[in-house]
Amino acid sequence: MSKAIENLAQRLGAAKLALEAISDKSILHQAVGLPGPRPDQVVRPASVEELAVILPAAKAAGVTLWTAWNASGHALVVPAAKGVPVLLELSRMNRILAVDAPSGFALVEPGVSHAQLAAHLAEKGLKFWLDAGADADASIAGGIWERSYGYTAYGDRLMMQCGMEVMHADGSLLRTGMGALPGENSWQLFKYGFGPYADGSFTQTAHTVMTKVGFWISPEPPVYRPFAWRIDSDEVFVKAMEAVRSLRINMVVPNTLVAVDGESERALTGGSEASAWNIYGALYGLPKNVDTVWKMIGGLASQLGGVTVQALDGADAKGSGAERAALMSGRPSKVYKSFLDTAKDRMLRLSFALPIEGDIALAFVRRTHKAAEGSGCRIVIEQGTAWRSLLAEVFIGFDEGGVEAAMRLGHRLIDDWAKQGIGVVRASPALQPAAIDRYSNPGFVKLRSHLATALA
């Protein structure tokens, strides 16, 4: 144990808190590829009051804290460390502070997982959907912090976030939006408050620790009709993606429409029925409205030609179709989670933002696979629509001893696509420095420096 960590242990001991040895290092699985030492010790606060002791103590002792939101290890926060870091693990801060059914929002502490809140809603008989993505064990706050996406109409997690409380390194608290108003009653109802909008400044950064987060939750719709477009031709796929852009922008299909090649889909969801190209979406709403739009979806597929429409809400929903139907209703996919768990510390991830344009979507998949040839790495790609963009999630898998090759490939992809104006918007910790360095506008660099200084 270093002198700095011994110093931290003494400071925590005075407050009846303690460091512990990390017994299960799998919580650090997202640290793959990072140079330097990893934490051996962990501290687990159970309350805001305990966290207010830990952060100033770590700063005074000169110890860098990595942050794990809960035991899943997802969205690991990894600031640069001068010495051996200590892990701050927040799973004991797992209270569900509020659920307002009439207004459709929740307020939780950082350790709360999607599964925990879903069980709470079910116990109370509340008909809401949560967008768990592939892993319901992941922290809700962690997903908001890393700005990840799900698959339902509420899939943009940061957009659905409303109000947060964060703690500075000195132990002081800050509430954003309407939460900054004494006696507020709209903290989880209106995102912005008055003055500068600050919430984004506390995401994808290690300057503060989120202690509470509010977010909107989706009422269960009267009708849910998921579907797939199965396509065997690159040419038809390009045209279909142009149609996807119109469907998404006009909110005809309100959820995250996903486009995935057959090889990637078989890796992610195990579906042997996957075509060369697969596009998934869902309709939600009143029966007559859904019936009307369903006819539109079928008619559009006929106009495109070469598109097979598959309904995923009945007996035809099997294999990848069943897994996708679950994801688009906010339920996790067991097969997708198995893919993630099997890869665990032998995978790097990058998420790129690009236009929803057929030619670009096709080129991204083809060129990314081409870049990986000869690297010894495996590439899996899933593209999903945001409000006006296509987010391309790239999984770089490798075998034991292949992490350096995976890192080289990750850097190459970051560089090659940045030259095309396509940037990374989310990344594994080891690739985050390279990704942020491509955002080189002088004013933006200056702002980042000012924020780091102000929030240190």
Side-chain angles (χ1 to χ4, degrees):
M1 187 180 294
S2 70
K3 290 184 178 179
I5 294 179
E6 288 180 354
N7 186 343
L8 173 60
Q10 290 173 0
R11 292 172 182 272
L12 296 179
K16 297 184 179 180
L17 296 170
L19 296 178
E20 305 170 24
I22 299 176
S23 57
D24 184 0
K25 292 294 184 73
S26 67
I27 195 172
L28 301 174
H29 65 90
Q30 288 195 339
V32 60
L34 282 170
R38 298 185 183 184
D40 294 311
Q41 302 287 314
V42 60
V43 59
R44 297 185 174 94
S47 66
V48 169
E49 291 75 18
E50 290 185 359
L51 185 64
V53 173
I54 294 167
L55 296 191
K59 183 176 182 180
V63 173
T64 300
L65 296 175
W66 289 11
T67 302
W69 302 92
N70 63 16
S72 73
H74 290 297
L76 187 68
V77 184
V78 183
K82 293 180 181 179
V84 178
V86 165
L87 183 66
L88 174 69
E89 205 260 290
L90 302 175
S91 61
R92 295 177 66 206
M93 293 178 65
N94 63 352
R95 291 183 301 160
I96 297 169
L97 300 169
V99 173
D100 188 306
S103 295
F105 71 76
L107 178 69
V108 302
E109 289 187 326
V112 174
S113 68
H114 294 276
Q116 180 186 346
L117 182 56
H120 176 82
L121 295 173
E123 180 185 343
K124 300 296 183 182
L126 300 176
K127 302 292 187 179
F128 285 93
W129 284 0
L130 298 178
D131 200 329
D135 191 349
D137 294 330
S139 158
I140 294 171
I144 291 168
W145 175 87
E146 71 170 355
R147 305 203 287 257
S148 64
Y149 264 72
Y151 297 91
T152 73
Y154 279 46
D156 184 342
R157 295 192 171 111
L158 184 58
M159 179 65 72
M160 297 303 150
Q161 174 265 328
C162 189
M164 67 172 66
E165 179 184 86
V166 300
M167 184 175 290
H168 294 285
D170 64 1
S172 61
L173 290 169
L174 176 153
R175 288 192 174 187
T176 66
M178 301 302 292
L181 183 72
E184 59 77 28
N185 61 6
S186 302
W187 192 19
Q188 273 66 65
L189 300 179
F190 184 69
K191 288 171 67 73
Y192 306 111
F194 189 82
Y197 175 59
D199 296 53
S201 300
F202 306 119
T203 63
Q204 294 189 354
T205 178
H207 302 313
T208 58
V209 175
M210 200 182 300
T211 55
K212 296 179 180 67
V213 65
F215 53 98
W216 301 327
I217 51 179
S218 171
E220 181 180 312
V223 175
Y224 167 58
R225 188 168 297 169
F227 66 89
W229 281 357
R230 308 292 189 187
I231 301 167
D232 290 321
S233 158
D234 286 0
E235 181 181 358
V236 175
F237 172 71
V238 169
K239 292 191 296 182
M241 288 304 294
E242 296 297 321
V244 162
R245 175 172 56 182
S246 179
L247 291 171
R248 185 66 173 92
I249 288 176
N250 289 290
M251 298 295 288
V252 176
V253 178
N255 75 308
T256 301
L257 287 121
V258 168
V260 59
D261 65 274
E263 182 180 352
S264 292
E265 183 66 338
R266 284 183 282 276
L268 292 171
T269 63
S272 59
E273 77 285 1
S275 298
W277 294 101
N278 308 272
I279 296 174
Y280 300 97
L283 307 180
Y284 313 78
L286 299 173
K288 288 185 178 180
N289 294 347
V290 169
D291 287 343
T292 298
V293 179
W294 179 246
K295 293 176 183 177
M296 182 190 304
I297 295 297
L300 181 56
S302 296
Q303 291 176 24
L304 291 169
V307 176
T308 300
V309 182
Q310 181 184 9
L312 302 178
D313 57 347
D316 290 337
K318 56 185 178 181
S320 63
E323 299 298 321
R324 291 295 176 180
L327 288 168
M328 292 185 291
S329 64
R331 294 175 289 126
S333 160
K334 292 181 180 178
V335 180
Y336 202 141
K337 187 177 187 302
S338 177
F339 164 79
L340 297 176
D341 288 345
T342 300
K344 210 77 172 184
D345 58 356
R346 295 183 184 176
M347 181 174 67
L348 295 170
R349 299 176 68 167
L350 292 168
S351 183
F352 295 84
L354 46 146
I356 311 175
E357 296 179 17
D359 288 336
I360 294 177
L362 176 64
F364 184 90
V365 173
R366 295 290 187 239
R367 292 179 188 175
T368 299
H369 278 289
K370 183 71 175 177
E373 290 180 0
S375 68
C377 300
R378 298 174 296 279
I379 291 290
V380 173
I381 302 172
E382 180 186 64
Q383 299 182 101
T385 58
W387 298 98
R388 292 294 187 277
S389 63
L390 193 64
L391 299 183
E393 191 85 11
V394 178
F395 302 88
I396 305 173
F398 56 91
D399 295 323
E400 187 173 355
V403 64
E404 292 184 3
M407 286 291 293
R408 287 194 297 270
L409 177 58
H411 281 95
R412 178 181 175 183
L413 292 175
I414 292 169
D415 289 340
D416 288 353
W417 285 117
K419 293 172 184 175
Q420 306 298 318
I422 293 173
V424 172
V425 295
R426 197 168 60 254
S428 292
L431 292 172
Q432 288 170 6
I436 193 66
D437 282 349
R438 300 306 177 275
Y439 289 80
S440 57
N441 172 270
F444 180 68
V445 173
K446 184 177 181 180
L447 175 62
R448 283 175 50 212
S449 176
H450 285 337
L451 282 173
T453 300
L455 298 175

